Amino acid sequence: MQACRTASTSFDLQVPGSVYLVDVQEKTAVVHAGKDSTIVLSPTPSNDVNDPLNWSRSRKLLHVTCVMIYTSAIGIGTTVLYSILQPISTDTGIPLATLNAGTGYMFLFLGWGALINQPLALTFGKRGIYLISVLGNTAMCLWTPYIKTEGQWIASKIVQGYLCTPVESLCEVSITDVFFAHERGTYIGMYTLFLFGSNYFAPLIAGFIYDGQGWHWVMYWAAIINFGSLIVLFFLMEETNYVRNTSEATEAVQMSTKVGTEKDEQESTISTPVSSGELTGVPKTYLQRLALFGGRYASNKLLLTMTYRPVILLRFPVIFWAGFQYGTCLVWYNVLNATCSLILSEPPYNFRASFVGLSYIGPLIGMLIGTFYSGWVGDRFAVRYARRTNGVREPEHRLWLMVVSLLLCPASLILWGVGASKGISWVGLVFGMGIISCSTGIGSSLSIGYALDSYKDLSGEVMMAVILVRNTLSFAIGYGITPWLYMGYQNTFISAGFVGLAITMTFLIVIKWGKSWRKASRKKYWEYVATGAHGH
């Protein structure tokens, strides 16, 4: 049996990102089996048994678990040394400024390296790129204890940044490969939790390892964690690249006559058959799933196009704003990391390295709350909002959840900075760290989700564009943190609080004008989708 969705709207006038998410008439057969019968699956799964959208729930959860294991391993390997930079400088003679510059270059290449790694993953397969990445990170962690010169340090960080690019821009695409529009927010939130959570967890364990075994073993344990993750991923992580015949963009035209179509001057009815749920084809064997690169998913021409098109996509205001908002969240994370050890290791707190590490429990809890709110709660908010708009979900709907950040962002930064300058109890500072982290989780998760919801069919390139802005901003702020702190903790963080408030408030502008921006970009977007997009 086949079901059809009809729309009285012109294909050319469709706005990218607008999705028919809730069947308000409850007549659509493409629904979430066993769940709310009014939820329309977007994108529509094919009849192929090997389509990742058709995987069983347990198989999807296993895959997302592998993505989180990868994210945690890379996150620990790249950030575990933040709390031990001073011992490294003392032991190697490398100036602290050079050590910090190296981490800055690493973040820069974590973004710009995606212009090479991401097209390769989308063309030849994500699984192989993930495995090479975690193997390379293992090698970089093993190399670090033997570095003796400034040149070696800078080189190691650049190479590590390039090898680890998938953690920034590929994991989000892997999530969209297997989950539908109404589910993505939850798992994007989970990814944000593990990305930032691993960054907070790393210095927590590093302090204890340093106290007991020295800084060399901090890196050895990071290498062990990465190698263990490599073994797990080799046997359990599957390829999710899939060439499908339709796209979320083209399916957007399959909307009921009720959904705002009476405003169209020229009406045309489009009826497209969708999956009946009867799967065909032969499932891949376990050995076939273990292939490092299981196929070819894009032409050489598209491979080349994907290396430069992300830069062009920055012309889309939606994508640039998402990258800027995400980058701003990372700035507050960097400012927190840059000042945490300085503040808590000095009077009146006098924390030793292990206790400074324990203070990151606050940010871990804050990140958990923030990503749960923006992810799980966000998915349900989007569905409820869609019911009020005749079943149509606009990407801007989720952004209303950022109202909470209007309070959390400035309040947390002021609490951290002013509290430190006044010598308040360490409990207040750790609480402030938690709120900063919560606000970071909300802003990051919603920014990523907004960009992906707006231009899902170019998800691989969209994430590259977003990360280019985010990591370039992070790299630049690395040179500005130290001069900024010359103002003193109180003045620095009061100014940071108001800057954070001003930037966060821009989501109101996006809610007002975001759809107009997406509508203005539709001609180029359709052109890009027609000439080739990952997965189609």
Side-chain angles (χ1 to χ4, degrees):
M1 182 183 71
Q2 288 184 326
C4 295
R5 284 181 281 174
T6 61
S8 303
T9 184
S10 171
F11 179 90
D12 293 332
L13 296 179
Q14 292 306 307
V15 180
S18 299
V19 171
Y20 189 47
L21 187 64
V22 179
D23 185 4
V24 292
Q25 297 178 326
E26 299 189 34
K27 295 180 179 179
T28 302
V30 188
V31 296
H32 197 292
K35 301 290 183 180
D36 188 342
S37 62
T38 63
I39 302 297
V40 181
L41 295 187
S42 180
T44 304
S46 68
N47 286 326
D48 186 359
V49 69
N50 293 309
D51 183 349
L53 292 174
N54 288 325
W55 288 358
S56 66
R57 192 69 178 173
S58 59
R59 191 173 172 187
K60 290 184 176 184
L61 292 177
L62 176 60
H63 178 73
V64 79
T65 299
C66 288
V67 172
M68 300 310 151
I69 290 173
Y70 169 82
T71 302
S72 299
I74 299 297
I76 290 173
T78 53
T79 62
V80 73
L81 47 73
Y82 280 166
S83 61
I84 58 169
L85 288 179
Q86 187 59 59
I88 293 175
S89 178
T90 302
D91 187 41
T92 62
I94 300 174
L96 195 59
T98 302
L99 296 179
N100 283 318
T103 58
Y105 284 119
M106 180 182 69
F107 268 103
L108 187 65
F109 277 83
L110 277 168
W112 288 89
L115 292 177
I116 298 175
N117 274 346
Q118 191 93 335
L120 291 175
L122 301 180
T123 300
F124 299 104
K126 300 184 182 75
R127 171 179 157 83
I129 296 297
Y130 278 128
L131 295 179
I132 292 172
S133 174
V134 75
L135 177 62
N137 199 36
T138 303
M140 291 300 103
C141 291
L142 289 174
W143 182 17
T144 301
Y146 299 96
I147 291 175
K148 300 298 181 184
T149 68
E150 296 182 39
Q152 290 176 348
W153 176 263
I154 297 295
S156 72
K157 294 297 106 180
I158 290 175
V159 173
Q160 187 174 26
Y162 170 74
L163 289 170
C164 296
T165 52
V167 77
E168 301 279 9
S169 54
L170 192 61
C171 295
E172 303 93 322
V173 184
S174 293
I175 290 171
T176 64
D177 286 343
V178 298
F179 292 106
F180 298 101
H182 68 285
E183 303 172 305
R184 290 178 204 145
T186 298
Y187 297 100
I188 291 295
M190 186 182 297
Y191 157 74
T192 307
L193 170 64
F194 278 82
L195 178 65
F196 284 97
S198 62
N199 293 177
Y200 291 132
F201 179 73
L204 190 156
I205 61 173
F208 287 97
I209 297 173
Y210 170 71
D211 285 347
Q213 297 178 295
W215 77 266
H216 291 80
W217 268 98
V218 172
M219 301 311 304
Y220 291 147
W221 277 111
I224 292 170
I225 291 171
N226 273 264
F227 188 74
S229 300
L230 174 64
I231 295 174
V232 173
L233 297 181
F234 180 82
F235 288 106
L236 297 180
M237 176 172 266
E238 295 189 53
E239 180 58 62
T240 58
N241 276 7
Y242 183 80
V243 179
R244 58 183 73 254
N245 297 322
T246 62
S247 67
E248 189 169 288
T250 57
E251 290 171 9
V253 300
Q254 319 305 327
M255 305 171 76
S256 68
T257 305
K258 183 178 180 180
V259 186
T261 55
E262 65 274 6
K263 297 180 181 180
D264 292 339
E265 296 180 358
Q266 294 181 343
E267 297 188 350
S268 61
T269 300
I270 303 171
S271 181
T272 302
V274 294
S275 172
S276 63
E278 300 175 1
L279 302 181
T280 60
V282 180
K284 290 182 179 179
T285 65
Y286 177 68
L287 289 179
Q288 287 176 322
R289 297 178 192 176
L290 290 181
L292 197 61
F293 295 100
R296 182 70 182 262
Y297 304 94
S299 65
N300 289 334
K301 181 180 179 180
L302 183 54
L303 171 62
L304 178 62
T305 300
M306 287 189 290
T307 62
Y308 65 82
R309 194 157 61 185
V311 179
I312 299 176
L313 288 176
L314 292 176
R315 295 184 303 171
F316 291 5
V318 162
I319 296 177
F320 184 83
W321 176 85
F324 187 78
Q325 187 66 238
Y326 189 12
T328 303
C329 293
L330 188 63
V331 165
W332 307 138
Y333 160 78
N334 287 339
V335 169
L336 179 63
N337 271 341
T339 56
C340 180
S341 182
L342 289 174
I343 291 173
L344 294 179
S345 62
E346 295 177 348
Y349 309 107
N350 298 317
F351 281 15
R352 61 177 184 265
S354 55
F355 279 24
V356 172
L358 281 175
S359 69
Y360 278 89
I361 292 176
L364 278 172
I365 295 174
M367 184 60 64
L368 177 63
I369 295 172
T371 53
F372 174 81
Y373 168 76
S374 58
W376 189 86
V377 174
D379 275 342
R380 281 140 189 84
F381 178 82
V383 171
R384 288 179 64 88
Y385 206 112
R387 295 187 195 281
R388 297 170 53 189
T389 53
N390 292 323
V392 178
R393 182 225 64 190
E394 304 290 356
E396 290 77 21
H397 290 172
R398 290 182 191 269
L399 296 184
W400 282 112
L401 296 173
M402 290 189 73
V403 168
V404 175
S405 292
L406 289 177
L407 173 64
L408 296 185
C409 180
S412 59
L413 289 168
I414 292 173
L415 174 59
W416 173 251
V418 176
S421 69
K422 301 299 182 182
I424 67 170
S425 170
W426 64 268
V427 176
L429 294 186
V430 172
F431 183 72
M433 293 170 68
I435 302 177
I436 291 175
S437 178
C438 181
S439 178
T440 297
I442 293 172
S444 300
S445 182
L446 291 177
S447 299
I448 296 171
Y450 179 57
L452 291 174
D453 284 345
S454 296
Y455 302 107
K456 161 64 176 64
D457 298 312
L458 295 174
S459 56
E461 294 158 81
V462 165
M463 281 314 306
M464 279 192 277
V466 168
I467 295 302
L468 288 179
V469 177
R470 192 203 84 156
N471 283 27
T472 302
L473 187 60
S474 174
F475 174 74
I477 198 63
Y479 290 94
I481 290 176
T482 301
W484 200 2
L485 291 174
Y486 290 157
M487 296 172 59
Y489 292 137
Q490 177 171 309
N491 292 337
T492 295
F493 283 94
I494 288 177
S495 62
F498 282 101
V499 169
L501 175 63
I503 294 175
T504 303
M505 287 182 67
T506 59
F507 85 89
L508 296 172
I509 298 174
V510 178
I511 288 176
K512 174 67 175 177
W513 301 106
K515 186 172 182 179
S516 298
W517 294 341
R518 289 186 288 112
K519 187 174 182 180
S521 69
R522 70 187 185 276
K523 182 177 180 181
K524 274 294 181 184
Y525 177 68
W526 284 114
E527 178 184 321
Y528 292 154
V529 172
T531 55
H534 161 58
H536 307 290

